[in-house]
Amino acid sequence: MKVRIDPEICQGQGRCFSIAPGIFDFDDLGNGVVIGDGTLTSDSIEQARLAQLNCPEHAIFIEE
Amino acid sequence: MSDIVEESVTHKVPVEDFATDWDHTDPQWVNDPYPIWEDLRERCPVAHTDRYGGGWFPTTHEMVSSIANDTEHFTSRMVVVVHNKYPPNFIPAPIGGAPPITSDPPFHAIARRVILPAFAPGPVNALEPQIRALCNKHLDQMVGHEFVDGGTDYAQYIPPGVIATMLGFPSEDEEIFRDIVHLVLDLIDLPSEVRGPLFEPMSEYFTKQIDDHIENPRDDLTSYLLNVEVGGKKLDRQHVAGTMVLVLVAGIDTTWSAIGSAIWHLARHPDDLARLVNEPDLLPVAVEEFLRFYAPVTMARLVAEDHEFFGCPMKKDDWVLLGFPAANRDPKAFENADRFIIDRAANRHAAFGLGIHRCVGSNLARLELRVAIEEFIKRFPKFELADSEGVTWAPGQVRGPRHLPLRILS
């Protein structure tokens, strides 16, 4: 499973990197970015889903 | 100023039906807007008014989101509902008077990119110790009193202190900042010939600050704005002044209201207060629910061209009141939307807006709100409302308690 942020949709609401700082970070403008290639482990998937459920812009995608 | 306000309030016609005659400065709306919005959401769900030159008020999350993301049919040229849609000093779209909040694409992205780095988490998080010290300075003065005012003794001081530092304005000018905010956001129902001249001292104040920063450049947002280059050119002075007005106005009343509303909630819900005192790690989650449930900021748009919106015949230059706080209470978007759930796990609230105009200061606002509440409940783990009749609310598009009489319990 992999997580990604669509940069066209992300508006820098800042929820992802607050909720799951191990998975997401922010760039110089405050937009969310995925750390590394976004591969999720069984430990991190729940955090990624929680971030997804808190993104007001629906910019986070979790894919098989 | 208060005489003018009093006069405009005295002459006001009370609203009988908000569906056809909404007015966000009506006392009923100011005191408790939530039942009104709920009623409108079920009954309309887009309300209309002929006041302020005509406007609409959509109440569902779907509609609010759709408008926020449709910059073609809705312009941000003016974002505060007032009587005159073309004030004398008006700057047309796509720039508007206070870029980037008043800007439309494509200029919006340029103006926004200029200020985003200053409000990104890195520089903002560095302010935490200073915000904590500011909170404690005011808490020190409240200690030992049984009765305090969570608004006038505390919440109102936190954001002005932070914004003054960021802009590099003298912190002793706080009272001037609050006057400016009051003028821009509260005195909206004044006739334009009365409202217009009130802006002169504000322009003079900003001129003075800009001149001072040109003569004595320093490491702050004002000097940054004066020197930053876009496409090899410095910003023009009008743009700099507009962005300074934005940072000052949008950075003060809003967070002050959010802090006040959170304290108001805790004063009335001892269980939630006790839970936060005992589980301080819950605070970041609770902050998001404070923001959802008591979202302080409603924005506005002007209709850019005639079109039909969810069956409503919208005409160019009609106002649209963009109720993010109403969207946050929409049961179609949130489970148990009308209940404050302090540990709500999934919370896609729209308190900072949606789309390209997402509040630039959201990282700062969150930080101030979290630290202000954290320090307040550390100092006062038990308190209650001293006089519920004594609580007063800011009118208009930014909602929060101004007077918040509290009794500190031992």
Side-chain angles (χ1 to χ4, degrees):
Chain A
M1 299 269 259
K2 271 193 170 187
V3 64
R4 66 178 178 89
I5 292 175
D6 185 329
E8 295 293 311
I9 303 175
C10 174
Q11 299 292 348
Q13 295 267 1
R15 304 302 305 283
C16 57
F17 51 76
S18 309
I19 289 172
I23 303 170
F24 306 98
D25 201 353
F26 49 85
D27 65 15
D28 290 348
L29 300 180
N31 289 323
V33 289
V34 169
I35 297 172
D37 72 352
T39 301
L40 297 172
T41 63
S42 51
D43 290 337
S44 64
I45 188 155
E46 205 176 309
Q47 285 298 90
R49 284 209 197 285
L50 189 61
Q52 186 181 36
L53 287 172
N54 279 279
C55 176
E57 310 286 355
H58 298 258
I60 299 174
F61 297 85
I62 297 174
E63 288 148 356
E64 291 292 332
Chain B
M1 240 183 244
S2 60
D3 290 350
I4 307 169
V5 183
E6 218 165 283
E7 197 175 313
S8 88
V9 171
T10 337
H11 285 87
K12 230 172 153 56
V13 182
V15 172
E16 281 182 20
D17 185 359
F18 284 92
T20 53
D21 184 32
W22 63 259
D23 187 338
H24 54 316
T25 66
D26 186 88
Q28 203 187 327
W29 180 306
V30 172
N31 289 330
D32 190 11
Y34 305 110
I36 299 172
W37 299 344
E38 198 181 320
D39 170 57
L40 294 176
R41 200 182 293 115
E42 281 169 17
R43 205 151 54 97
C44 300
V46 184
H48 184 263
T49 191
D50 288 330
R51 299 184 190 219
Y52 305 99
W56 306 88
F57 175 60
T59 53
T60 70
H61 187 283
E62 183 191 9
M63 290 171 174
V64 167
S65 170
S66 150
I67 293 166
N69 283 293
D70 182 356
T71 54
E72 197 180 317
H73 291 99
F74 301 94
T75 169
S76 287
R77 179 173 65 77
M78 290 187 71
V79 290
V80 179
V81 173
V82 289
H83 286 286
N84 190 352
K85 293 163 186 173
Y86 292 93
N89 56 349
F90 123 92
I91 302 166
I95 301 174
I101 201 171
T102 57
S103 311
D104 292 329
F107 181 78
H108 166 269
I110 298 165
R112 184 170 172 92
R113 212 187 155 83
V114 165
I115 58 167
L116 274 177
F119 291 93
V124 163
N125 291 342
L127 296 169
E128 181 166 338
Q130 188 194 325
I131 296 170
R132 213 172 278 285
L134 182 64
C135 293
N136 278 298
K137 182 181 128 188
H138 293 287
L139 289 167
D140 285 346
Q141 301 193 352
M142 297 161 75
V143 164
H145 296 270
E146 184 186 356
F147 295 98
V148 297
D149 191 307
T152 56
D153 291 335
Y154 188 62
Q156 73 161 356
Y157 289 115
I158 313 305
V162 178
I163 293 294
T165 309
M166 281 192 87
L167 285 169
F169 291 2
S171 60
E172 60 269 24
D173 290 351
E174 269 183 30
E175 200 56 45
I176 300 177
F177 307 162
R178 280 191 291 271
D179 281 349
I180 291 173
V181 170
H182 184 57
L183 166 64
V184 175
L185 294 174
D186 294 351
L187 301 183
I188 47 178
D189 197 22
L190 295 179
S192 46
E193 64 277 14
V194 178
R195 183 174 157 88
L198 296 178
F199 277 84
E200 278 162 29
M202 174 177 115
S203 304
E204 280 167 27
Y205 182 79
F206 281 99
T207 301
K208 197 174 101 186
Q209 295 306 328
I210 290 177
D211 288 343
D212 179 48
H213 277 79
I214 290 172
E215 267 176 54
N216 311 293
R218 38 204 195 259
D219 183 19
D220 58 30
L221 188 56
T222 302
S223 287
Y224 165 76
L225 289 170
L226 285 165
N227 292 308
V228 71
E229 290 188 3
V230 176
K233 267 178 61 187
K234 286 189 180 179
L235 303 177
D236 64 47
R237 201 177 154 120
Q238 202 174 37
H239 183 152
V240 173
T243 299
M244 288 163 71
V245 172
L246 165 62
V247 170
L248 190 111
V249 171
I252 290 185
D253 199 8
T254 50
T255 312
W256 161 13
S257 295
I259 297 169
S261 290
I263 296 175
W264 180 66
H265 175 91
L266 295 173
R268 292 156 51 250
H269 297 90
D271 292 355
D272 285 340
L273 175 56
R275 187 141 179 223
L276 281 188
V277 169
N278 296 325
E279 294 175 52
D281 290 349
L282 186 62
L283 196 52
V285 176
V287 157
E288 301 305 325
E289 183 67 344
F290 285 131
L291 286 166
R292 181 189 74 86
F293 208 68
Y294 302 109
V297 183
T298 292
M299 291 308 302
R301 298 285 187 266
L302 287 167
V303 175
E305 54 186 64
D306 293 5
H307 71 285
E308 199 175 286
F309 178 83
F310 286 83
C312 300
M314 296 196 168
K315 300 280 177 220
K316 182 176 188 295
D317 285 345
D318 282 351
W319 289 110
V320 176
L321 196 60
L322 198 51
F324 295 112
N328 279 351
R329 301 270 189 134
D330 182 352
K332 284 209 175 112
F334 298 92
E335 255 177 66
N336 296 311
D338 59 350
R339 278 184 53 208
F340 181 95
I341 300 172
I342 198 161
D343 55 2
R344 186 182 286 272
N347 197 344
R348 282 190 169 121
H349 70 76
F352 293 113
L354 294 167
I356 64 165
H357 288 281
R358 185 269 304 169
C359 168
V360 161
S362 60
N363 298 306
L364 180 60
R366 275 199 175 95
L367 176 66
E368 288 182 50
L369 178 56
R370 177 172 60 78
V371 172
I373 299 306
E374 201 167 49
E375 293 303 316
F376 193 89
I377 64 174
K378 220 186 271 173
R379 200 71 75 101
F380 304 122
K382 281 188 179 174
F383 56 92
E384 63 183 15
L385 273 192
D387 165 23
S388 57
E389 298 295 308
V391 180
T392 60
W393 296 88
Q397 287 178 225
V398 179
R399 174 179 167 78
R402 288 295 164 266
H403 283 283
L404 181 52
L406 302 174
R407 180 201 304 268
I408 304 298
L409 305 170
S410 48

